[in-house]
């Protein structure tokens, strides 16, 4: 049996979560099959990382089932990393279980690596030899990760658009593939994926106009800080989560961690500005990546009401 699902994705702060909840409530109002949400967010998988990942409040998750949230213990440090292969396996199983209950699976999130795996299969790129990997690790130490990130943006802009700026492992992996094969990892992914789609999906990409998206990001960043993002990081560290835990690589958490450890920003205003800027840059890369994809439906959430958008979903 072919598994089917609807997908809501797009840049951060585009309105994905709110639309997903609206779709679920519309289905309930119309007495249609219940909607269950499958998260495709690479930070929400970690327990305790709530504010910075815009995780839905517990009350909302109680009213509409959310899957693949809080499934990893960040206290395990690097060993807690949740790979695209693990996500693919878990998401396909979860979508099958939801469909088996007669409910509607709705995949929601902006992690490009996770979604590419789910929609097109895992990469067919060859492994990077150990000597090449070691050389890249040394370069990252000597030149700094931002320099290698800039190199990736030139050589493989598609992959750069879905890899977070601080994700050392994935940046070095993509550069390694390019150095070994002379081809971008994005090309390998595109070629491989069309041979074996794990699911059939209707994909909606929410993308407000650029200035509206920038405004939304600025507002959301301020709200995160007002809700206690800095305190959340302090509490996570105090609870035993190590600084090298994977979710601390995410924008927002990375800047707060640096602020606490090094006094990198002089006050809340500078911290807010830095997180806002980095998030806006990342959102631009996310949009660029989606522009390279076919068979997606672009939606401007600023142009119509949530209810009107929800009407477009197969529920």
């Amino acid at each position: 049996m072919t598994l089917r699902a609807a997908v809501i994705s797009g840049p951060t702060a585009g309105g994905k979560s709110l639309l997903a909840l609206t779709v679920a409530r519309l289905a309930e109002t119309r007495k249609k099959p219940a909607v269950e949400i499958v998260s495709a967010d690479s930070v929400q998988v970690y327990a305790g990382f709530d504010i910075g990942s815009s995780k839905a409040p517990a009350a909302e998750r109680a009213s509409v089932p959310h899957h693949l949230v809080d499934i990893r213990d960040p206290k395990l440090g690097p060993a807690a990393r949740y790979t695209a292969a693990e996500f693919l396996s878990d998401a396909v199983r979860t979508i099958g279980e939801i469909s088996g209950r007669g409910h509607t699976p709705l995949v929601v999130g902006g992690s490009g690596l996770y979604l590419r795996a789910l929609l097109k299969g895992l990469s067919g790129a060859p492994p990077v030899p150990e000597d090449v990997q070691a050389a890249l690790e040394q370069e990252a130490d000597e030149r700094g990760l931002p320099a290698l990130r800039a190199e990736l943006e030139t050589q493989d802009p598609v992959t750069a658009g879905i890899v977070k700026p601080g994700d050392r492992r994935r940046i070095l992996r993509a550069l390694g593939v390019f150095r070994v094969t002379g081809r971008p990892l994005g090309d390998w992914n595109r070629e491989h994926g069309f041979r074996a789609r794990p699911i059939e999906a209707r994909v909606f990409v929410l993308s407000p106009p650029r200035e509206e998206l920038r405004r939304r990001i600025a507002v959301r960043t301020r709200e995160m800080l007002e809700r206690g993002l800095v305190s959340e990081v302090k509490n996570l560290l105090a609870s035993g989560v190590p600084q090298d835990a994977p979710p601390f690589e995410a924008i927002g958490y990375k800047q707060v961690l640096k602020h606490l450890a090094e006094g990198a920003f002089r006050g809340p205003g500078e911290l807010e500005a830095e997180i806002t800027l980095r998030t806006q840059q990342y959102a631009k890369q996310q949009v660029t990546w989606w522009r390279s994809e076919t068979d997606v439906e672009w939606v401007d959430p600023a142009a119509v009401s949530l209810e009107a958008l929800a009407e477009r979903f197969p529920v």
Side-chain angles (χ1 to χ4, degrees):
M1 180 182 72
T2 301
L3 293 178
R4 293 181 173 82
V7 176
I8 299 176
S9 191
T12 184
K16 299 182 289 293
S17 297
L18 190 55
L19 175 57
L21 291 171
T22 304
V23 171
R25 288 163 182 159
L26 179 64
E28 182 179 11
T29 299
R30 293 183 169 181
K31 301 189 184 306
K32 296 288 187 177
V35 170
E36 298 189 35
I37 293 172
V38 180
S39 172
D41 187 289
S42 60
V43 183
Q44 291 186 8
V45 297
Y46 299 100
F49 285 75
D50 302 334
I51 296 174
S53 69
S54 295
K55 196 175 292 179
E60 291 183 356
R61 283 183 275 152
S63 63
V64 178
H66 283 61
H67 302 274
L68 307 189
V69 174
D70 291 346
I71 61 173
R72 282 295 167 98
D73 182 359
K75 293 178 183 178
L76 297 174
R81 188 175 298 279
Y82 190 63
T83 68
E86 290 174 301
F87 170 78
L88 173 59
S89 176
D90 290 344
V92 168
R93 172 182 51 78
T94 302
I95 289 169
E97 291 171 351
I98 294 170
S99 299
R101 290 191 285 272
H103 295 175
T104 300
L106 180 58
V107 181
V108 184
S111 175
L113 290 169
Y114 287 3
L115 289 170
R116 182 182 288 279
L118 181 62
L119 298 174
K120 295 186 174 182
L122 293 171
S123 171
V128 177
E130 290 185 7
D131 60 331
V132 176
Q133 184 66 33
L136 283 167
E137 293 285 355
Q138 184 174 348
E139 279 190 55
D141 291 338
E142 295 175 352
R143 297 172 55 197
L145 189 62
L148 294 186
R149 166 77 187 194
E151 183 178 328
L152 180 62
E153 290 175 353
T154 299
Q155 296 176 345
D156 189 355
V158 171
T159 301
I162 60 176
V163 175
K164 289 183 172 60
D167 195 335
R168 178 182 175 116
R169 185 175 66 89
R170 291 187 174 112
I171 290 171
L172 299 190
R173 158 70 173 160
L175 285 174
V177 169
F178 185 83
R179 292 188 182 183
V180 170
T181 69
R183 299 178 59 201
L185 180 60
D187 287 355
W188 286 98
N189 288 338
R190 276 195 298 271
E191 288 183 6
H192 173 76
F194 286 108
R195 293 200 295 270
R197 293 176 181 264
I199 68 168
E200 292 295 327
R202 186 176 178 185
V203 182
F204 297 82
V205 178
L206 303 190
S207 183
R210 183 166 62 180
E211 288 307 313
E212 170 64 13
L213 181 58
R214 289 173 63 86
R215 183 194 68 80
R216 290 186 182 204
I217 289 171
V219 169
R220 193 177 76 166
T221 300
R222 177 167 298 176
E223 290 176 345
M224 285 179 175
L225 290 169
E226 289 175 348
R227 289 174 55 204
L229 178 59
V230 174
S231 294
E232 180 174 85
V233 172
K234 289 180 179 178
N235 292 336
L236 286 165
L237 293 171
S239 72
V241 178
Q243 294 188 23
D244 59 357
F248 276 135
E249 297 170 358
I251 296 174
Y253 288 111
K254 180 178 181 179
Q255 285 72 31
V256 171
L257 192 64
K258 187 175 182 181
H259 173 62
L260 294 174
E262 306 172 12
F265 307 101
R266 294 180 180 177
E270 288 190 11
L271 178 60
E272 178 182 333
E274 179 68 10
I275 295 174
T276 299
L277 174 62
R278 298 304 177 189
T279 306
Q280 289 171 342
Q281 292 173 337
Y282 179 53
K284 181 180 178 180
Q285 293 162 359
Q286 287 178 300
V287 172
T288 298
W289 179 73
W290 275 114
R291 292 291 181 194
S292 71
E293 296 298 299
T294 58
D295 301 325
V296 302
E297 300 179 42
W298 287 86
V299 178
D300 177 1
V304 294
S305 69
L306 280 172
E307 290 72 18
L309 287 178
E311 292 280 355
R312 297 175 59 176
F313 279 76
V315 299

